[in-house]
Amino acid sequence: MKQALILLDYINEIVHPDGKLAQKGYPQFLEEHGTIKKINSALNRARNLQIPVFFVNLGFSEDYREVDPKSPIIGKAGEYGILQKATWSTELLSKIDRDSSDRVIYKTRVSGFSSPELVDSLRNENVSKVLIGGVATQLAVESSVRQAHDLDFSVTVLEDLCGTISQDVHD
């Protein structure tokens, strides 16, 4: 069973202390739990085992045409001027050890599996099991896990590689 490691939304706007969405408490949770160190360890292990790594991040075009302004989760991205592709906002947190072999894929919805590029890449590589971590546990991770299941992937949530705003929400 071929596996892939998928990490969701470890981008500056959400997990860097200066990010607008980080003000909800994500950086503090990650710091308290040593999550970034655990991510880097998992990345090293995945690469040693030749498990492909995918960073799947929110990212919108300059005109935010993909955003439904009625969405309670992403609807205000354009109003706040955040989460545009290829900006500081959507860059991977610099403390995460990215490798040139890792793939970065943008998504425009909560679930990573809303990205046809991710699904096609996994299918093309004959991946049948996905290992998932990300932020936020109750949003991107949960949504991605449910959709991955519905797409017939075997799923393992790597709890130590997940983060959110509080332990209660994480649990």
Side-chain angles (χ1 to χ4, degrees):
M1 180 178 300
K2 186 164 181 189
Q3 302 177 78
L5 175 60
I6 299 170
L7 295 174
L8 303 157
D9 293 328
Y10 278 104
I11 55 176
N12 287 328
E13 202 66 70
I14 298 172
V15 297
H16 188 284
D18 294 335
K20 289 180 182 165
L21 300 175
Q23 305 314 311
K24 296 176 183 266
Y26 301 113
Q28 294 84 356
F29 184 95
L30 300 178
E31 181 68 29
E32 289 170 10
H33 292 83
T35 307
I36 301 303
K37 183 177 180 181
K38 293 171 186 173
I39 288 170
N40 288 333
S41 178
L43 287 167
N44 186 50
R45 182 164 170 73
R47 292 178 192 123
N48 286 337
L49 295 171
Q50 298 182 323
I51 295 172
V53 174
F54 294 84
F55 290 102
V56 184
N57 305 323
L58 273 171
F60 304 110
S61 57
E62 195 173 303
D63 64 3
Y64 294 98
R65 66 181 164 270
E66 309 90 348
V67 177
D68 178 353
K70 297 182 298 284
S71 169
I73 298 172
I74 59 174
K76 294 201 181 270
E79 182 180 326
Y80 295 139
I82 59 173
L83 301 171
Q84 284 185 351
K85 292 179 187 178
T87 65
W88 177 88
S89 183
T90 58
E91 287 177 6
L92 187 67
L93 186 69
S94 65
K95 293 179 182 178
I96 294 176
D97 297 333
R98 182 169 174 232
D99 185 82
S100 62
S101 65
D102 301 337
R103 284 176 245 155
V104 176
I105 293 175
Y106 287 110
K107 62 185 176 101
T108 60
R109 297 292 180 261
V110 176
S111 169
F113 286 83
S114 64
S115 165
E117 183 182 353
L118 175 62
V119 176
D120 291 346
S121 294
L122 295 171
R123 298 265 191 244
N124 288 339
E125 292 197 32
N126 296 314
V127 170
S128 57
K129 180 176 184 172
V130 292
L131 311 168
I132 297 179
V135 64
T137 307
Q138 80 284 8
L139 294 169
V141 174
E142 182 178 356
S143 180
S144 297
V145 165
R146 291 178 189 278
Q147 194 168 0
H149 168 269
D150 287 350
L151 292 168
D152 299 322
F153 290 97
S154 173
V155 181
T156 298
V157 175
L158 303 174
E159 181 181 357
D160 285 355
L161 307 188
C162 296
T164 191
I165 57 176
S166 73
Q167 190 64 47
D168 288 341
V169 172
H170 183 70
D171 291 343

